[in-house]
């Protein structure tokens, strides 16, 4: 377990976001276009291959793994993968990002299989608007999923809300009050220019974290904290609540200098940076050398010098990265 994954800028990779599917039962307007084509099964890593990738990274010093999608809970037998990864010695933080709609059915099994933390996407508390933002989502199922997650014993559940001007910024305080009332944390995310979404102009809907913070401070003064979840969130506290407020601000407060993460897509592409296309094909290694952990680890180590220094996102609405968010899940 001695090796460390260090890039050319001296940053250590300690966190991997592992996408287990590009598919989803929602079509969120900032993540996908209305009509999507998904990967054929043959191009998708098997659960065994995904588990092997996770093990390789943990043996190379990675402490945190987050399962993402698309929507991870639409992947059949994902519970088995959670059990395999949850059993890895050396893994300190094991989380999942989900739209919550499948938690009613899966929360208890995930918790028992060793999953430690959940991030649940929730951009609106208005059923009609929720349906419009997700194109297919049912708010009631997500709220039931949050309840099921808490009953299953998940602690520090965090909500993720992408704020779009003219779409849901008027609900920021409602979302904070919901999180306070339910004993949840919440992070507000600046939209990232991945994929040519057909629904809106990102230049028009861009809402900075500073604007969101100002909205919240109309009611709750925010106290900055040094708390971290090994991710990009900057956390704040309110004097009268245990709820943490986070901001993920790729545009207004760039966090690339302290980047500690890489992503693996469900087709086995090791993406060194969300905002660039630098990558290595781990699927080729997995299928050319089945079961060969040394070959896989060597490919990961050799990829580190490819990691770019930073993203070059702008807020002018131009699409910087062609791939949609569902290929990496953020
Ligand atoms: S954009 Fe790239 S360099 Fe910046 S924090 Fe994200 S992954 Fe790291």
């Amino acid at each position: 377990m001695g090796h460390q994954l260090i890039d050319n800028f001296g940053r250590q990779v300690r966190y991997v976001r592992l996408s287990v599917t590009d598919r989803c039962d929602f079509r969120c307007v900032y993540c996908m276009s209305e009509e999507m084509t998904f990967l054929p099964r043959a191009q998708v890593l098997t659960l065994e291959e995904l588990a092997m990738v996770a093990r390789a990274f943990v043996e190379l010093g990675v402490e945190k793994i987050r399962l993402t999608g698309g929507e991870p809970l639409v992947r059949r037998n994902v519970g088995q993968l959670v059990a395999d990864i949850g059993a890895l010695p050396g893994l300190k933080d094991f989380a999942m990002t989900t739209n919550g709609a499948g938690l009613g059915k899966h929360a208890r099994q995930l918790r028992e299989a060793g999953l430690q933390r959940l991030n649940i996407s929730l951009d609106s508390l208005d059923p009609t608007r929720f349906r419009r933002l997700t194109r297919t989502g049912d708010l009631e199922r997500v709220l039931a999923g949050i309840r099921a997650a808490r009953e299953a014993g998940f602690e520090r559940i965090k909500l993720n809300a992408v704020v779009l001007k003219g779409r849901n910024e008027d609900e920021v305080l409602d979302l904070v009050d919901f999180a306070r009332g339910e004993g949840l944390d919440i992070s507000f995310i600046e939209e990232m220019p991945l994929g040519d979404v057909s629904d809106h102009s990102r230049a028009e809907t861009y809402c900075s974290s500073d604007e969101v913070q100002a909205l919240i401070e109309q009611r709750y003064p925010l106290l900055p904290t040094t708390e971290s979840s090994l991710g990009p969130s900057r956390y704040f506290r309110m004097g009268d609540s245990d709820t943490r407020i986070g901001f993920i601000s790729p545009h207004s407060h760039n966090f690339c200098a302290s980047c500690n993460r890489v992503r693996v897509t469900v087709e086995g592409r090791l993406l060194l940076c969300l905002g660039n296309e630098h990558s290595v094909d781990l699927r080729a290694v997995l299928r050319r050398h089945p079961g060969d952990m040394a070959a896989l680890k060597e490919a990961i180590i050799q990829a580190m010098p490819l990691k770019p220094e930073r993203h070059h996102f702008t807020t002018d609405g131009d699409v910087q990265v062609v791939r949609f968010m569902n290929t990496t899940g953020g």
Side-chain angles (χ1 to χ4, degrees):
M1 297 249 201
H3 190 95
Q4 295 187 326
L5 298 173
I6 311 277
D7 70 11
N8 285 349
F9 307 96
R11 301 172 298 186
Q12 182 186 358
V13 171
R14 301 161 64 197
Y15 174 14
V16 171
R17 298 174 67 101
L18 184 59
S19 174
V20 302
T21 181
D22 61 336
R23 294 166 189 258
C24 184
D25 45 355
F26 289 6
R27 295 282 181 281
C28 299
V29 295
Y30 49 78
C31 176
M32 297 189 194
S33 67
E34 193 137 18
E35 300 305 324
M36 293 294 290
T37 311
F38 297 113
L39 292 164
R41 184 183 291 276
Q43 289 180 25
V44 163
L45 294 189
T46 64
L47 294 178
E48 295 71 24
E49 288 169 330
L50 286 163
M52 201 170 157
V53 168
R55 188 175 133 217
F57 274 106
V58 172
E59 291 183 5
L60 289 168
V62 161
E63 301 158 28
K64 176 175 179 177
I65 290 181
R66 176 177 299 281
L67 297 184
T68 67
E71 168 50 44
L73 297 181
V74 304
R75 174 93 193 226
R76 205 174 300 147
N77 302 327
V78 72
Q80 183 52 53
L81 178 65
V82 169
D84 293 344
I85 296 176
L88 289 173
L91 184 61
K92 296 197 181 91
D93 187 349
F94 186 25
M96 178 185 281
T97 296
T98 169
N99 65 25
L103 286 172
K105 185 171 166 206
H106 296 287
R108 191 159 296 285
Q109 182 212 7
L110 294 171
R111 189 76 190 94
E112 285 161 6
L115 191 67
Q116 296 161 342
R117 295 192 303 111
L118 284 171
N119 286 24
I120 304 170
S121 307
L122 185 67
D123 304 313
S124 175
L125 292 163
D126 170 334
T128 311
R129 180 183 281 178
F130 185 88
R131 172 60 63 111
R132 208 168 42 239
L133 287 169
T134 62
R135 292 195 179 105
T136 60
D138 175 355
L139 175 62
E140 261 327 298
R141 280 190 66 202
V142 175
L143 298 179
I146 293 170
R147 285 192 293 274
R150 255 216 319 272
E151 282 153 23
F154 282 98
E155 283 154 21
R156 290 237 82 98
I157 297 169
K158 187 169 80 158
L159 301 176
N160 279 349
V162 176
V163 182
L164 302 179
K165 211 169 265 174
R167 295 298 176 88
N168 64 342
E169 93 273 15
D170 59 349
E171 283 193 75
V172 165
L173 277 167
D174 297 340
L175 287 162
V176 169
D177 285 338
F178 176 78
R180 288 166 58 100
E182 300 286 327
L184 309 168
D185 292 338
I186 183 164
S187 274
F188 293 98
I189 306 173
E190 292 176 347
E191 184 183 4
M192 292 175 227
L194 271 75
D196 191 5
V197 292
S198 51
D199 173 78
H200 57 278
S201 147
R202 290 191 173 112
E204 286 163 20
T205 58
Y206 172 60
C207 190
S208 77
S209 295
D210 298 337
E211 291 170 279
V212 175
Q213 183 171 349
L215 286 171
I216 297 171
E217 293 198 302
Q218 288 171 4
R219 192 174 298 166
Y220 306 110
L222 294 181
L223 312 161
T225 88
T226 55
E227 293 171 81
S228 163
S229 54
L230 262 188
S233 275
R234 291 172 300 123
Y235 287 111
F236 292 75
R237 288 279 185 174
M238 292 170 281
D240 63 347
S241 165
D242 188 41
T243 288
R244 279 192 309 186
I245 303 285
F247 295 104
I248 299 178
S249 324
H251 303 290
S252 60
H253 296 263
N254 185 289
F255 39 68
C256 297
S258 59
C259 181
N260 60 1
R261 55 202 164 273
V262 294
R263 291 154 177 90
V264 180
T265 69
V266 71
E267 55 191 325
R269 206 173 153 215
L270 168 53
L271 265 170
L272 283 306
C273 168
L274 180 68
N276 291 281
E277 292 298 353
H278 303 61
S279 67
V280 166
D281 183 355
L282 298 182
R283 185 184 62 204
V285 179
L286 285 160
R287 297 193 176 169
R288 205 176 302 133
H289 311 283
D292 186 340
M293 184 56 79
L296 182 58
K297 287 161 89 170
E298 189 53 28
I300 294 169
I301 293 166
Q302 294 304 327
M304 287 306 114
L306 296 176
K307 186 168 171 57
E309 186 175 12
R310 54 166 295 155
H311 70 67
H312 301 283
F313 295 152
T314 62
T315 56
D316 61 11
D318 284 356
V319 174
Q320 257 94 34
V321 176
V322 176
R323 76 184 117 81
F324 285 98
M325 192 61 97
N326 70 304
T327 58
T328 51

